[in-house]
Amino acid sequence: MVDTEITDVTDDIVLMRVVGSKFNQGNMTCIALENGLVFVDTGQNAKYSEQFRKAMEKRFNQKTLFVLLTHSHWDHIFGMETFHDVPIISSEKGVDSIREELAKELSPEGRQKVIEQSKKWLEENKVEITKERQEWFDMLPKVKVSIPTIGIREEMIFHSDGKEFLYRVVGGHSECSSYIHCVSDEVLITGDNLVAKHAANSGCMLAGFGSQGLEVLSQFEKMGVDKYVPGHGPVVNTDYIVKSRKWFSSMFDALRGLKRDGVSAEDAIKDSSLPEFFESETPRSWDMIVEHWYNTI
Ligand SMILES: [Zn+2]
């Protein structure tokens, strides 16, 4: 069953996750400042973002000040409608990318095309249209996405109650990817440069995670942060970052080696030299993901 899960990261930072979904639903985080609330990302579904906003406004008895976007992928911006009354801040590249998408994939015709192509793919691959998938098809034409109000080129710093917060554009997962460093709280809200529990969040993130993502992960590791709030999955600590970084690094090295030795993609994905995945469950479409890495690293 699809449900939401709330985690208190600190007294003033709260994470909301959508769990039990087959879709790549992005995390949402609320930071309570002394004069109001800041939300990080808007999730994939306005139903959950609205619930979360209301719950946080009630809990902290504060109004919402603004929203920060970690990047412009659909699973992080489709809940935007919930925040139509406050400024939405993203990287400058994020503003450009949403503007471009609104003219292409997110135009009314573009959305219809996405639905038709997905249905065709599902039919060809004999994948049934589940209730959740049908809801997604019904929702897509109606999702209200707007161009962010403010675009940040490199970084933005804000303070509350003597605490410092830093929004920084870092790239990696996508050109427009950014993180939010809650410096005094020693918390890093990472966007999709970090994902935990990959199996529950589909292989989509893994496929989009290449050498640049690995560099950003190494940066995260050195930041001396206590808690990491990923783009998908639960809060993790530095040990998880180290484990994750080491695994991706050895996986990419192994694939590069096989490629150099002239091993085909088809054989490489089954090669015994590849390290075993570091989490207990392997993501769906595993072969497809590894083949994607083989072709792109
Ligand atoms: Zn995502």
Side-chain angles (χ1 to χ4, degrees):
M1 208 187 79
V2 183
D3 205 355
T4 56
E5 191 185 278
I6 299 285
T7 309
D8 290 0
V9 185
T10 67
D11 287 347
D12 302 321
I13 303 175
V14 183
L15 163 68
M16 192 277 288
R17 296 174 56 212
V18 177
V19 292
S21 168
K22 290 272 185 211
F23 281 85
N24 227 21
Q25 312 243 12
N27 285 346
M28 274 183 77
T29 310
C30 172
I31 307 171
L33 305 181
E34 57 190 334
N35 59 340
L37 308 179
V38 175
F39 285 87
V40 179
D41 287 338
T42 69
Q44 184 175 269
N45 191 325
K47 179 169 82 178
Y48 302 122
S49 52
E50 203 181 317
Q51 251 177 40
F52 186 46
R53 176 179 177 174
K54 277 190 183 150
M56 292 301 104
E57 287 181 345
K58 193 173 167 201
R59 171 169 163 178
F60 291 104
N61 192 24
Q62 293 270 32
K63 60 182 180 1
T64 298
L65 298 172
F66 57 90
V67 173
L68 296 167
L69 296 179
T70 61
H71 63 302
S72 63
H73 288 170
W74 295 7
D75 52 327
H76 301 262
I77 65 165
F78 270 13
M80 234 188 214
E81 193 185 344
T82 297
F83 299 99
H84 62 90
D85 56 332
V86 295
I88 302 217
I89 302 172
S90 84
S91 64
E92 275 187 354
K93 287 192 172 107
V95 176
D96 294 344
S97 129
I98 292 176
R99 186 180 288 121
E100 277 165 29
E101 286 216 31
L102 280 168
K104 293 177 189 165
E105 278 111 326
L106 285 177
S107 68
E109 307 77 43
R111 296 179 198 216
Q112 279 311 325
K113 216 168 141 190
V114 169
I115 294 171
E116 279 159 30
Q117 280 171 349
S118 308
K119 284 188 173 165
K120 198 173 156 220
W121 187 91
L122 292 168
E123 204 184 307
E124 279 169 9
N125 289 280
K126 298 190 172 55
V127 182
E128 69 157 325
I129 298 183
T130 56
K131 192 174 158 239
E132 198 189 3
R133 204 177 285 277
Q134 186 56 52
E135 278 172 11
W136 160 254
F137 289 143
D138 295 340
M139 185 183 94
L140 185 55
K142 297 178 209 150
V143 174
K144 287 195 182 118
V145 174
S146 52
I147 296 169
T149 339
I150 299 165
I152 304 295
R153 185 163 301 165
E154 284 177 10
E155 64 177 36
M156 177 182 92
I157 297 171
F158 54 99
H159 294 91
S160 165
D161 210 8
K163 290 182 180 179
E164 184 175 291
F165 300 85
L166 171 74
Y167 175 91
R168 188 167 178 80
V169 186
V170 72
H173 172 73
S174 64
E175 258 203 330
C176 64
S177 284
S178 311
Y179 63 69
I180 293 89
H181 187 188
C182 311
V183 183
S184 320
D185 292 301
E186 298 189 354
V187 171
L188 189 73
I189 304 168
T190 67
D192 279 4
N193 276 306
L194 174 70
V195 165
K197 280 208 177 168
H198 290 271
N201 298 296
S202 98
C204 185
M205 159 61 202
L206 282 165
F209 190 87
S211 313
Q212 285 171 321
L214 192 56
E215 270 171 42
V216 176
L217 206 55
S218 304
Q219 274 185 45
F220 288 171
E221 193 181 318
K222 294 179 194 118
M223 283 173 76
V225 167
D226 188 31
K227 288 172 177 169
Y228 296 83
V229 181
H232 299 263
V235 177
V236 293
N237 60 17
T238 314
D239 290 349
Y240 184 90
I241 307 276
V242 173
K243 197 161 67 173
S244 175
R245 191 259 305 154
K246 281 187 179 164
W247 184 85
F248 278 109
S249 181
S250 62
M251 182 64 169
F252 292 169
D253 283 348
L255 284 171
R256 278 192 202 102
L258 291 166
K259 216 169 156 175
R260 229 179 2 246
D261 294 343
V263 177
S264 69
E266 202 187 334
D267 290 336
I269 58 176
K270 298 194 167 25
D271 198 273
S272 60
S273 68
L274 298 185
E276 208 172 301
F277 190 57
F278 67 100
E279 290 184 329
S280 56
E281 217 181 318
T282 310
R284 296 190 301 274
S285 315
W286 183 240
D287 287 358
M288 231 160 75
I289 295 165
V290 181
E291 191 178 339
H292 173 79
W293 286 334
Y294 176 94
N295 290 321
T296 51
I297 53 167

